[in-house]
Amino acid sequence: MSRPTILGYARPDGKVGIRNHLLVMSTVVCSSFVARRIADQVQGAVAIENPFGCGQLEPDLEVTRRTLIGMAKNPNVGGVLVVGLGCEQIQADDLVKEIEKTGKPVEKVVVQEVDGGTPAAIEKGVTLLRRMAEDVLSQKPEEVDVSNLVMGVECGGSDATSGLASNPVVGYASDKLIDLGGTVILSETPEMIGAEEILARRAVSREVGDRIIRVVRKWVDLAASHGVDLVGTQPAPGNIAGGISTIEEKSLGAIIKGGSRAIQGVVDYAEEVKGKGLWIMDTPGYDIMSVVGMVAGGATLVVFTTGRGTPTGNPIAPVIKVTANPFTAKKMRENMDFDASTVTLGQETIEQAGEKLFKLIMDVARGKPTRAELLGFREFVIHKIIPSF
Amino acid sequence: MGTPAIVLNPSDNVAIALRDLKQNESVELIIGNSKLPIKLLNDIPFGHKFAIKGIRMCDYVIKYGHVIGRAKRNIGIGEHVHVHNVESLTAVHSVCKGGKP
């Protein structure tokens, strides 16, 4: 059988995207409105409204900075306009310097440096971005090998059908992509609690296995420091009523969406994955934060399972919504991309539904828009590790 | 109507009910290319597990091809597998301490 190909945008740094966005990114919440106004006026542009960028302690600031740079470096982005205020902690120049390393076009506008305030800054930004758009939007995608795809897997609004059907179906597609030489990112480390030893046994080395156990247990300790017991209270009464007997079973129901292949390594939130195969990213279980972390870490496509039906997307990565709940598949049909309820109803096997999902993933990687893209969902939240000061 | 229960991995010793199943009901499971008939010893609600192999006390319960816990007592084929007869490997008051890990 011939290998599948996807339609990719080859970037100067050798990475390949499946979308071609112009990114308008604010360094701080104070310049977010200006960023949005600029993006609204240029075709192909999307704004990232950074809610932080000031009043942060350095380790927390570093997470924000890494996330912004990661979003800009993501190969789904063809060109970047950085919009700063001027007096904030995250300086536009520092971001520009980092993003320039990719060889992509990068420009900046700093509101306090423009004569006239925000209206003049918006005008300047629109002019710069239009010029950039002429070049970036002229780029045509090419047939490239499927191994260029970096897929993040996520679940949110879960119910009993998530662990039963949608996550195993996504797991099938994850294994298939990895076997074809692609990359999969599995995140939400707090949801791995109880299954960390199982995951550690799948690590390529002792060192990686130890790190898996460390990053998972860190969340147990963090919750405990706030007086919350994450282990003893799991599975929750609702889970038990739904048929989940142990914390291992609950965690495995989430983890299975990453498939069953060897775990190559663990990266921090929004840190770039360092090779092909299956990777773990240490992120919160909060789905939007987790998706943003994976996209900042290089995911060019996200597959997102949901039982209850969540509509969320991402500013630069297509998010494929999968549900195995027959009621959600019907009620939330305008938001769902893939109906895996055939497995829940016993009409299809995980393999059969998994093959169909993989074909949809290939279609989306060849330009087919997802429902979240069509409906304009672009949620963006950054993980925070220390309160603002 | 489709198959009444699903086995998520060929190495599993439990199946998951895809609808509310009744005691004494006979179900036919599809595992790979083979079929496995099971007579249910209890009512099994949607999403709950039942044993498709005999599981002895302190043996592993396997789902997704992974260990999800340990049997707290012997579990017969077709029996409901849940909190009354399964414990987490992290269980503080394990009935299997000193027994088979």
Side-chain angles (χ1 to χ4, degrees):
Chain A
M1 211 178 85
S2 65
R3 291 175 64 84
T5 55
I6 60 176
L7 280 177
Y9 295 88
R11 303 303 179 195
D13 60 355
K15 298 208 166 60
V16 175
I18 58 169
R19 294 294 185 268
N20 195 31
H21 296 292
L22 288 164
L23 187 62
V24 186
M25 193 166 67
S26 60
T27 55
V28 63
V29 68
C30 318
S31 57
S32 286
F33 179 76
V34 171
R36 177 163 26 112
R37 278 298 169 97
I38 294 169
D40 283 348
Q41 295 177 64
V42 181
Q43 188 199 324
V46 58
I48 284 184
E49 300 180 42
N50 171 21
F52 307 127
C54 228
Q56 292 177 274
L57 293 187
E58 185 50 40
D60 188 51
L61 191 69
E62 173 52 28
V63 175
T64 303
R65 196 185 286 123
R66 191 164 68 220
T67 307
L68 295 176
I69 292 168
M71 293 296 283
K73 284 186 165 179
N74 186 296
N76 281 357
V77 171
V80 184
L81 175 69
V82 177
V83 183
L85 176 64
C87 54
E88 67 273 28
Q89 278 181 302
I90 293 189
Q91 286 288 298
D93 276 334
D94 295 338
L95 295 191
V96 168
K97 244 179 261 164
E98 277 304 311
I99 301 162
E100 271 176 344
K101 291 178 185 168
T102 62
K104 291 179 196 180
V106 189
E107 296 284 356
K108 63 155 186 172
V109 183
V110 177
V111 174
Q112 289 167 350
E113 291 173 4
V114 180
D115 184 32
T118 57
I122 292 168
E123 201 183 313
K124 184 182 175 192
V126 168
T127 304
L128 286 169
L129 196 62
R130 280 210 185 106
R131 234 174 264 157
M132 194 189 293
E134 284 184 350
D135 281 343
V136 172
L137 300 184
S138 299
Q139 189 178 347
K140 293 275 172 287
E142 308 149 34
E143 296 280 347
V144 295
D145 190 74
V146 62
S147 58
N148 287 289
L149 195 60
V150 182
M151 179 168 95
V153 291
E154 181 64 43
C155 52
S158 303
D159 69 7
T161 64
S162 304
L164 173 68
S166 51
N167 287 341
V169 167
V170 173
Y172 179 92
S174 294
D175 280 349
K176 182 153 178 158
L177 179 60
I178 289 169
D179 294 345
L180 286 164
T183 306
V184 172
I185 309 175
L186 175 68
S187 63
E188 306 181 283
T189 28
E191 298 188 5
M192 298 175 189
I193 294 168
E196 61 267 35
E197 303 271 1
I198 295 167
L199 284 168
R201 282 197 287 273
R202 279 169 53 194
V204 290
S205 69
R206 176 76 190 271
E207 193 190 353
V208 170
D210 288 348
R211 178 126 192 249
I212 292 170
I213 290 170
R214 251 194 339 269
V215 297
V216 174
R217 299 216 171 135
K218 175 198 71 185
W219 292 96
V220 177
D221 296 341
L222 181 61
S225 74
H226 292 280
V228 177
D229 174 14
L230 282 186
V231 180
T233 54
Q234 292 294 339
N239 300 137
I240 293 173
I244 304 284
S245 308
T246 62
I247 189 171
E248 294 94 323
E249 182 179 10
K250 180 176 176 172
S251 294
L252 277 166
I255 291 164
I256 195 72
K257 64 186 178 290
S260 61
R261 299 300 181 247
I263 297 161
Q264 305 295 320
V266 180
V267 291
D268 275 336
Y269 182 88
E271 184 186 356
E272 191 175 353
V273 294
K274 298 170 178 74
K276 307 280 189 189
L278 179 61
W279 287 76
I280 286 178
M281 181 180 284
D282 183 21
T283 78
Y286 179 19
D287 46 12
I288 315 296
M289 269 185 187
S290 165
V291 167
V292 165
M294 290 191 288
V295 173
T300 48
L301 178 147
V302 175
V303 178
F304 191 128
T305 65
T306 179
R308 304 295 298 275
T310 131
T312 57
N314 182 266
I316 58 168
V319 177
I320 297 175
K321 284 287 158 51
V322 178
T323 189
N325 180 321
F327 301 101
T328 301
K330 202 173 283 176
K331 273 186 83 176
M332 295 283 288
R333 61 188 173 277
E334 296 301 325
N335 298 96
M336 296 297 121
D337 296 278
F338 188 81
D339 180 2
S341 69
T342 50
V343 174
T344 310
L345 296 170
Q347 296 160 349
E348 272 188 315
T349 63
I350 287 162
E351 294 73 19
Q352 287 166 333
E355 282 294 329
K356 285 183 190 166
L357 174 63
F358 189 78
K359 189 181 172 304
L360 175 64
I361 292 168
M362 291 301 102
D363 289 345
V364 170
R366 297 184 63 84
K368 179 179 178 163
T370 63
R371 294 294 169 86
E373 286 180 294
L374 288 169
L375 294 165
F377 284 92
R378 289 169 177 171
E379 286 68 19
F380 184 77
V381 189
I382 302 176
H383 178 35
K384 216 162 187 336
I385 58 171
I386 307 173
S388 291
F389 272 67
Chain B
M1 226 190 286
T3 177
I6 188 169
V7 179
L8 292 167
N9 188 288
S11 61
D12 290 358
N13 53 16
V14 293
I16 323 300
L18 293 177
R19 55 178 181 260
D20 289 340
L21 301 172
K22 292 285 163 213
Q23 188 176 10
N24 295 325
E25 197 175 333
S26 289
V27 295
E28 194 172 64
L29 299 172
I30 300 160
I31 303 167
N33 294 323
S34 58
K35 289 179 175 173
L36 179 68
I38 302 258
K39 190 174 179 195
L40 299 175
L41 303 183
N42 312 100
D43 287 351
I44 314 290
F46 168 81
H48 285 233
K49 299 174 289 297
F50 58 90
I52 60 170
K53 295 169 191 166
I55 307 170
R56 280 178 317 182
M57 182 168 168
C58 299
D59 271 358
Y60 290 140
V61 177
I62 314 279
K63 179 182 171 186
Y64 302 112
H66 287 295
V67 177
I68 60 157
R70 239 177 335 227
K72 289 199 272 191
R73 53 179 173 75
N74 291 340
I75 303 173
I77 296 174
E79 192 175 342
H80 191 199
V81 176
H82 203 16
V83 287
H84 62 290
N85 56 14
V86 181
E87 64 175 26
S88 165
L89 298 191
T90 66
V92 181
H93 303 291
S94 171
V95 299
C96 301
K97 284 278 159 67
K100 190 176 166 184

